[in-house]
Amino acid sequence: MKAVAASTGPLDGIRVLDLSSIVMGPYATQILGDLGADVIKLESPAGDNMRAVGPMRNPGMGAIYLHLNRNKRSIVLDLKTSEGRQACLELAKTVDVLLYNVRPQSMARLGLAYEDFVKVNPKLVYVGAYGFGSKGPYAGKPAYDDLIQGMTAIPSLYQQNSGDVPRYAPLTLADRAVGMQAAIAILAGVIQARASGQGQEIEVPMFEAMAQLVLGDHLGGETFSPSEGSTGYARLLVPYRRPYATSNGYVSVLIYNDKHWSRFFQIIGRSDLLSDPRFNTHTARAQHIDEAYCFVSDTLATNTSEHWLEVFNEADIPAAPLYSVDDLIADPHLKQVGMLQDLQHPSEGAIRSPAPIGTYSKTPLSIRRNAPRLGEHTQEILREAGLPSATISSLLETGAAVNAKNGKES
């Protein structure tokens, strides 16, 4: 399938100027682009660092970059030059949203703070997604996914749960979770701006966003003042909350409510445990969660994965096989719903990319544009912003703007 340029999706008509790079910001704007927004990716002459992360077929077109930056157009401006800065301000007149993910101090040094943009576009929603909120003592400190995971206790929770050394979640969890928060913030800002005629400056700090995510589960007894106990959600921290070993592999099982436990005890011929005070109510099981999950672990080790998946399915107890990433790619449900879409990229050839999420009966989603080559749409976007041909030529000649290396635009 070839990505098509036809505009579609519920955000058709919303225009986003994306100054972000790496994962968090580009993931937020990937979501918006999938939903139909016109996303203009403004890059430095060096390009987004994720372009360099392989595997890749051609330089600057790494696999993760291709996924994060579909449904976008690329313009290259050197914002350290006065000409590049001015072109950015001209471009900002034509958009609803500007997103950046460098430290605010860096934007201010470039003369691209909120105050600079509001002069040219008072309706602009100006969104900064970066490490730490501007009112706290960590304001301005650098932040990356690993650091934020560490500071929000995720490796510590892993250690508490597993008994192993602390480990980060093996995905860019903070970047992607906060990227979703940034997408929500952008939409909220656009709704308000369209209702009032006035934009605003919005801050989406990674540390605070991930702290909210973690504390929502693990604030525990510290929810109350004075405290009613220790922090932590016991069910999530018990060492036996993990894929259960069977006699020939592993399965994922969640025996959760009273009906599930009643059916489980009946399946294994232990109906006597229905009256056990440790297990007979949800509250009792929560208080004895170590014993409950240990019992399940010991029981599931006595038979095969196939056996347990069959009997749990018959009893309507939530259970699933344990997948590898390769298994996930081959899953028949994902194949049926078209999770991986086959695309033909003009420079990268045949590629696969995860599909946009959700179905919309009136405004269907699509991958309309392939991830752009660096500066692929520079001239096109500058023309749309109303810059005269002579000005565009001057920008290109001085290096304040850069077009795709092969000189072609799609």
Side-chain angles (χ1 to χ4, degrees):
M1 182 176 88
K2 184 178 180 180
V4 295
S7 185
T8 185
L11 298 187
D12 184 20
I14 291 178
R15 193 169 164 98
V16 180
L17 180 56
D18 180 10
L19 274 63
S20 70
S21 62
I22 315 294
V23 174
M24 177 174 58
Y27 185 53
T29 52
Q30 178 219 303
I31 293 170
L32 301 176
D34 286 354
L35 288 167
D38 178 14
V39 179
I40 298 167
K41 183 178 180 66
L42 195 159
E43 301 181 72
S44 72
D48 187 335
N49 284 346
M50 286 308 296
R51 287 182 176 273
V53 178
M56 65 184 74
R57 287 176 176 156
N58 292 296
M61 299 298 282
I64 296 176
Y65 167 82
L66 290 174
H67 303 314
L68 285 172
N69 293 285
R70 67 193 188 200
N71 286 330
K72 301 178 187 180
R73 297 184 289 164
S74 171
I75 178 174
V76 171
L77 293 175
D78 186 348
L79 298 179
K80 295 179 181 179
T81 67
S82 59
E83 297 86 356
R85 173 186 178 275
Q86 186 57 43
C88 180
L89 290 171
E90 290 297 319
L91 185 54
K93 295 177 181 179
T94 71
V95 303
D96 299 282
V97 178
L98 182 147
L99 173 69
Y100 70 96
N101 67 344
V102 298
R103 286 173 274 184
Q105 297 89 333
S106 298
M107 293 293 282
R109 283 195 297 269
L110 292 170
L112 298 174
Y114 176 62
E115 293 75 17
D116 299 299
F117 283 100
V118 76
K119 294 174 185 176
V120 300
N121 184 355
K123 294 182 180 180
L124 183 69
V125 179
Y126 180 89
V127 182
Y130 39 78
F132 304 94
S134 59
K135 295 182 180 179
Y138 303 154
K141 290 177 66 69
Y144 289 89
D145 186 276
D146 291 2
L147 277 64
I148 296 299
Q149 284 199 41
M151 290 185 70
T152 54
I154 290 170
S156 175
L157 290 166
Y158 171 82
Q159 181 182 40
Q160 190 174 347
N161 168 266
S162 68
D164 197 358
V165 297
R167 295 185 188 276
Y168 303 121
L171 68 161
T172 52
L173 178 63
D175 277 340
R176 293 181 184 272
V178 183
M180 285 190 279
Q181 290 276 12
I184 294 168
I186 287 168
L187 293 177
V190 169
I191 290 171
Q192 189 275 336
R194 293 197 167 187
S196 68
Q198 293 292 318
Q200 62 180 305
E201 183 176 10
I202 299 175
E203 179 179 81
V204 184
M206 293 180 73
F207 182 48
E208 288 93 317
M210 287 302 293
Q212 185 203 62
L213 192 75
V214 171
L215 293 175
D217 275 335
H218 291 290
L219 196 56
E222 291 298 323
T223 300
F224 305 96
S225 184
S227 173
E228 292 290 337
S230 62
T231 58
Y233 179 10
R235 190 185 77 79
L236 302 185
L237 295 174
V238 61
Y240 292 98
R241 183 187 176 254
R242 61 192 181 200
Y244 291 108
T246 65
S247 63
N248 68 340
Y250 292 88
V251 292
S252 300
V253 180
L254 181 57
I255 308 169
Y256 188 69
N257 60 33
D258 290 341
K259 289 182 179 179
H260 296 154
W261 281 96
S262 175
R263 293 168 189 163
F264 174 63
F265 289 142
Q266 291 171 15
I267 286 169
I268 64 174
R270 292 297 308 272
S271 296
D272 58 299
L273 292 175
L274 291 169
S275 58
D276 189 310
R278 297 171 301 168
F279 305 142
N280 61 353
T281 68
H282 193 106
T283 299
R285 289 189 299 273
Q287 293 171 342
H288 298 275
I289 197 67
D290 266 318
E291 295 169 86
Y293 278 16
C294 179
F295 178 81
V296 174
S297 180
D298 291 344
T299 302
L300 265 62
T302 64
N303 216 319
T304 66
S305 299
E306 293 77 12
H307 166 80
W308 291 117
L309 290 172
E310 181 179 354
V311 298
F312 286 146
N313 182 61
E314 291 174 355
D316 199 25
I317 294 172
L322 178 64
Y323 276 177
S324 67
V325 174
D326 288 338
D327 294 329
L328 183 63
I329 292 170
D331 178 81
H333 178 90
L334 294 184
K335 284 183 177 292
Q336 181 66 34
V337 300
M339 169 51 63
L340 283 178
Q341 296 196 355
D342 294 312
L343 303 171
Q344 192 66 35
H345 193 287
S347 65
E348 307 313 301
I351 65 171
R352 292 186 293 179
S353 193
I357 296 302
T359 56
Y360 294 69
S361 64
K362 302 290 186 183
T363 53
L365 310 187
S366 66
I367 300 178
R368 307 176 309 284
R369 293 183 178 274
N370 292 293
R373 291 171 288 115
L374 182 62
E376 182 174 342
H377 306 94
T378 294
Q379 293 186 65
E380 172 187 307
I381 293 168
L382 291 174
R383 286 195 297 266
E384 290 176 2
L387 274 70
S389 297
T391 302
I392 295 173
S393 297
S394 176
L395 287 165
L396 294 170
E397 288 169 5
T398 62
V402 179
N403 202 41
K405 288 183 179 179
N406 64 6
K408 296 180 181 178
E409 293 184 290
S410 65

